[in-house]
Amino acid sequence: MTQKIPYLVDIGVDAVWVCPPYPGPMIDCGYDTTDITAIHPSLGTIDDMDEFIKKCHENGIRVMMDFIPS
């Protein structure tokens, strides 16, 4: 996702909504999470997510992500 940020800037995107990237069986596209403090291994690492959010903010892009409290 981080590699696509320049493209998003070029087309005028100012916000992205990321589906839950949390680990779990991925039957329900991330909403069936087992740990809201980690990233599913197939989607990268927490450091990757931190870098993505940082780069988005540096480029004026807000990041929204669903929070799964239960």
Side-chain angles (χ1 to χ4, degrees):
M1 295 186 312
T2 303
Q3 295 173 349
K4 299 294 183 185
I5 292 172
Y7 170 72
L8 297 175
V9 171
D10 287 346
I11 63 171
V13 170
D14 65 356
V16 292
W17 185 348
V18 179
C19 287
Y22 312 117
M26 297 304 269
I27 296 168
D28 200 12
C29 299
Y31 290 91
D32 51 348
T33 183
T34 57
D35 181 359
I36 62 169
T37 65
I39 304 295
H40 193 283
S42 69
L43 301 174
T45 66
I46 196 74
D47 291 334
D48 295 331
M49 181 59 76
D50 288 343
E51 181 70 11
F52 172 71
I53 293 169
K54 176 184 169 197
K55 294 288 186 188
C56 280
H57 289 169
E58 288 174 356
N59 285 279
I61 300 174
R62 294 169 289 163
V63 179
M64 298 174 283
M65 190 171 7
D66 289 341
F67 174 64
I68 316 296
S70 60

